[in-house]
């Protein structure tokens, strides 16, 4: 069974069969001969067949010109070729009408000047515009420059947060431990019981400092994410939420660690927004791998109204994902529900993971 031929293929002449322009030229020749014979048989006189021949020539010429123009590669230059082809048809038409109508004042000069000016302007515009590949590279450079600035700013902000957490948490506790142990050292000579009590307090402060360090490490890269994968890490994240949240994850293998971490913290920020702003009663997270992209969809039944421009949380997610060429889609009409889609292009390893069941 033969495949259907496209209109452009028919116009250009497909493989096999008669070339359309040859068939058209043949038909025009036959019609020209017929009209000439009719004129001769009817007694001659005013030679009206010239207008018929003129119209047939215009039709064949237009077909030929458009056919040649369509051979140009698709894009801005093809449109220029079509413009020039039509101008090349219209110019002889104007001259033909002037000649066939008896000559006289050479009015086609104005039409010829307009046609030439139009084609010349079109050619100048095409020559000034960068080619499609260059425009694509320019857009890509702009995106990379923006994402690099976003990544640098995000890294600086994260480092300041870690420094603040260490300074206000573990460092302060360790300073307190040092001072307590200094007092205990002095009391051990005069009041061993009081010194022992201070040592016990110092030990408790040390354990608290370790807890603070674990919290900082958890914020940098959760241990459950490294040990059990993205699906289990997100499930663990939802266990302490005030809004009941189900999680489904179907991945053929683990993603690179940096991408998993970016997606994990993006999901965490989305769920934090659900708890703080959405007034939702339920939420759901669905993680999948589609067409070379790691996709996470966070849905809630809240009041809606979320947007990337409406707060720093979603803007931060957008900057985090842009560093990996990822994107965020927000669909949150007033009154809800809200659906936030996070996508990051990546490859997965071949290790098979079983889909996790929903948790509440």
């Amino acid at each position: 069974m033969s495949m259907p031929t496209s209109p452009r293929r028919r116009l250009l002449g497909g493989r096999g069969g008669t070339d359309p322009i040859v068939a058209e030229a043949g038909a025009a020749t036959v019609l020209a001969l017929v009209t000439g014979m009719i004129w001769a048989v009817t007694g001659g006189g005013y030679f009206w067949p010239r207008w018929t021949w003129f119209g047939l020539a215009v039709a064949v010429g237009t077909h030929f010109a458009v056919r040649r123009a369509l051979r140009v590669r698709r894009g801005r230059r093809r449109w220029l070729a079509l413009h020039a082809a039509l101008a090349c048809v219209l110019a002889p038409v104007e001259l033909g009408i002037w000649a066939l109508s008896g000559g006289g004042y050479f009015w086609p000069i104005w039409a010829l000047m307009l046609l030439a000016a139009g084609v010349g302007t079109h050619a100048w515009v095409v020559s000034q515009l960068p080619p499609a590949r260059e425009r694509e590279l320019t857009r890509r450079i702009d995106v990379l420059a923006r994402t690099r600035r976003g990544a640098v700013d995000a890294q600086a902000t994260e480092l300041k947060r870690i420094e603040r957490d260490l300074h206000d948490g573990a460092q302060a506790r360790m300073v307190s431990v040092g001072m307590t142990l200094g007092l205990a050292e002095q009391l051990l000579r005069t009041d061993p019981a009081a010194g022992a009590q201070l040592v016990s307090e110092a030990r408790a402060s040390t354990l608290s400092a370790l807890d603070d360090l674990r919290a900082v490490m958890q914020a940098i890269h959760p241990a459950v994410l490294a040990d059990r994968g993205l699906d289990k890490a997100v499930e663990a994240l939802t266990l302490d939420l005030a809004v009941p949240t189900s999680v489904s994850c179907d991945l053929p293998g683990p993603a690179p660690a940096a991408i998993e971490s970016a997606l994990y913290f993006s999901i965490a920020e989305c769920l934090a927004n659900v708890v703080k702003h959405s007034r939702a009663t339920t939420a759901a997270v669905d993680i999948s791998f589609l067409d070379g992209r790691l996709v996470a969809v966070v849905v809630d039944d809240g009041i809606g109204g979320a947007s990337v421009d409406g707060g720093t949380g979603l803007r931060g997610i957008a900057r985090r994902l842009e560093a990996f060429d990822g994107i965020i889609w927000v669909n949150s009409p007033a009154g809800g529900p809200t659906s936030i889609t996070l996508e990051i292009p990546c490859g997965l390893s071949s290790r098979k993971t079983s889909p996790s069941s929903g948790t509440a």
Side-chain angles (χ1 to χ4, degrees), residues 214-247:
R214 290 192 186 97
V216 173
M217 294 172 62
Q218 182 78 5
I220 297 173
H221 191 78
V224 66
L225 182 60
D227 296 339
R228 305 187 63 188
L230 181 62
D231 52 347
K232 300 300 182 184
V234 174
E235 285 184 5
L237 184 66
T238 61
L239 293 178
D240 297 328
L241 292 181
V243 178
T245 304
S246 63
V247 179

Side-chain angles (χ1 to χ4, degrees), residues 158 161-175 177 204-223:
E158 188 69 10
R161 184 191 64 78
I162 294 172
E163 179 184 3
R164 183 177 63 252
D165 291 345
L166 290 175
H167 181 272
D168 298 340
Q171 180 178 336
R173 292 186 184 277
M174 295 306 295
V175 170
V177 167
S205 296
T206 302
L207 295 177
S208 297
L210 288 176
D211 291 337
D212 291 340
L213 287 175
R214 290 192 186 97
V216 173
M217 294 172 62
Q218 182 78 5
I220 297 173
H221 191 78

